[in-house]
Amino acid sequence: MTELDAHRAATGTGDRSRPRAVLPALCITQITSWGIVYYAFPVLNPAITADTGWPAGATTAAFSAALLISAFAGIRVGRIIDHRGPRTVMTAGSVLGTASLLIMAAAPSLPVFFAGWLLAGLAMAATFYQPAFAALTRWWAPDHVRALTIVTLAGGLASTVFAPLTAALAGHLTWRTTYIVLALVLATVTVPAHALALKAPWPKAPPAPAHAGNSATTVARSRPFWMLAAALTLSAFTVYAVVVALVPLFLERGYTTSQAAWALGLGGAGQTLGRTLYATLARHTAVTARTTTLIALGGVTTAALAFTPGPYTLLVALSVAAGMVRGNLTLLQATAITDRWGTTHYGHLSGLLAAPATTASALAPFAGAALAAPLGGYPHLFAALAIVSAASCLISLRAKPPAPEATPLPHI
């Protein structure tokens, strides 16, 4: 990838033709898939445990198991998309997602409920951000940053749309019937959207940049790749632990549940705002500096939340700032492969890069809750998480790949 190509990839310029239906379709399916398969569960879990008597820890463990399955299945999904395109795998994922919800709705026992979530993990791997990012990166390159920003902005609305909708359904229906209704919505919206909008010819993979090696295996075994994976994994652990621990932190400091919920919700709004700023950040920073800066800012906001007892408005402002960093980190991971090694093996390498980070995000809520008491409370937990962010920042400095040969920019 020449310097001009890298510049275009970062700034979102270029005139390559692309299938017009793909981007709006993926925006709709990301909202629907995330909203139903992921965000409906926290809303319905209290009703599930109350109705069945299953322990909340067990039902939550089933949900976390699905995230772990998605992390490792995503590696294979990415490889398939690299070679065959996203249509078949994302359509099949929508079908699996529908089936998983119907299994959960009908589950007579906890093991069957677990089985439904394990199937949902496969559906997540085939329909969530990673396959969508792979599709947009190949079809939209070198204008992919703008497309990725748009689809993540849409995905950020999933909880806004489906958490209230799920609550409204659960207010009139049982949790089982609610899951059946949501399964029908998922099938109606996402199966035809993936089957019809993603049928455009899959572009041939461009040649790999000379500095990136000739194969995905070469890149995946390189020191810069694993340093980057380690940095993003530690960063993901911190980010997701902070999200889950934010409400207990506020409660421990004497604020009400409503105040804590508003702080968390406004942090989500900050996440959406942060994503709108990523393209500008990419235009003005080099990839290593951008990675290190964003991870460092995650640590700074986490430390500030640890050591700031109030007032409430300041804590809310810090929550919004932390949300803005989270929003940028999502796009940082989405563009990490293309910024360093091009688009040739994006799906495979992106799946490998995301697997440990997704695993960390699945384990972080439990680890954070388990560590809070031994550390002496949630402020101390946040301080420890800030230290983890600092370690991640230092590791990211060692994730710089070999530099491409210098190619002068043409005179325009």
Side-chain angles (χ1 to χ4, degrees):
M1 184 164 55
T2 66
E3 186 177 350
L4 178 59
D5 291 334
H7 174 73
R8 286 176 173 172
T11 58
T13 59
D15 55 5
R16 179 179 175 176
S17 60
R18 54 185 65 94
R20 295 182 179 179
V22 168
L23 185 56
L26 288 177
C27 286
I28 293 170
T29 61
Q30 288 301 299
I31 292 174
T32 308
S33 297
W34 276 97
I36 292 176
V37 181
Y38 188 94
Y39 286 108
F41 173 72
V43 177
L44 292 177
N45 195 38
I48 294 171
T49 56
D51 176 59
T52 62
W54 301 333
T59 55
T60 304
F63 178 71
S64 293
L67 295 176
L68 294 176
I69 291 291
S70 73
F72 295 101
I75 298 172
R76 179 60 179 167
V77 166
R79 185 178 296 179
I80 292 171
I81 291 176
D82 277 342
H83 293 287
R84 302 178 186 177
R87 184 190 185 196
T88 300
V89 70
M90 295 193 78
T91 303
S94 293
V95 174
L96 289 177
T98 301
S100 71
L101 295 177
L102 294 176
I103 291 172
M104 293 176 212
S109 63
L110 186 58
V112 177
F113 187 76
F114 253 90
W117 273 113
L118 296 181
L119 189 63
L122 297 176
M124 292 176 183
T127 59
F128 278 13
Y129 278 146
Q130 292 304 319
F133 289 165
L136 292 174
T137 297
R138 179 73 67 87
W139 267 318
W140 254 252
D143 200 17
H144 59 284
V145 171
R146 182 168 56 185
L148 295 175
T149 300
I150 291 171
V151 83
T152 54
L153 287 173
L157 297 174
S159 61
T160 305
V161 174
F162 279 96
L165 176 60
T166 301
L169 289 171
H172 296 85
L173 305 170
T174 67
W175 71 269
R176 296 181 185 273
T177 306
T178 298
Y179 258 143
I180 292 173
V181 171
L182 291 175
L184 294 176
V185 173
L186 183 71
T188 302
V189 174
T190 65
V191 173
H194 287 149
L196 298 176
L198 304 182
K199 64 180 180 180
W202 188 233
K204 184 179 179 180
H211 69 281
N214 296 321
S215 69
T217 302
T218 301
V219 174
R221 290 178 177 176
S222 67
R223 180 183 178 87
F225 182 87
W226 286 108
M227 288 293 100
L228 178 64
L232 294 179
T233 298
L234 290 176
S235 176
F237 180 87
T238 300
V239 165
Y240 282 91
V242 165
V243 170
V244 175
L246 190 66
V247 170
L249 175 73
F250 272 70
L251 295 178
E252 193 168 301
R253 285 180 166 152
Y255 297 102
T256 66
T257 301
S258 177
Q259 287 174 314
W262 270 105
L264 181 61
L266 290 172
Q271 183 170 303
T272 301
L273 175 61
R275 288 171 179 168
T276 66
L277 304 176
Y278 185 80
T280 300
L281 179 66
R283 283 196 296 269
H284 294 93
T285 57
V287 59
T288 302
R290 181 162 64 253
T291 303
T292 304
T293 299
L294 286 174
I295 293 175
L297 287 174
V300 169
T301 55
T302 302
L305 286 166
F307 296 109
T308 305
Y312 177 72
T313 52
L314 178 57
L315 287 171
V316 169
L318 290 173
S319 178
V320 172
M324 293 176 68
V325 174
R326 287 198 305 274
N328 277 280
L329 285 170
T330 300
L331 287 167
L332 177 74
Q333 180 166 321
T335 58
I337 298 299
T338 51
D339 285 342
R340 293 167 173 80
W341 297 287
T343 62
T344 307
H345 308 291
Y346 178 88
H348 185 192
L349 292 175
S350 183
L352 287 171
L353 188 67
T358 303
T359 301
S361 69
L363 298 177
F366 292 102
L371 290 171
L375 289 173
Y378 280 91
H380 293 88
L381 171 65
F382 273 63
L385 292 172
I387 295 173
V388 174
S389 282
S392 175
C393 185
L394 293 175
I395 293 172
S396 71
L397 291 172
R398 304 179 66 85
K400 186 176 181 180
E405 296 181 5
T407 303
L409 289 170
H411 295 289
I412 299 176

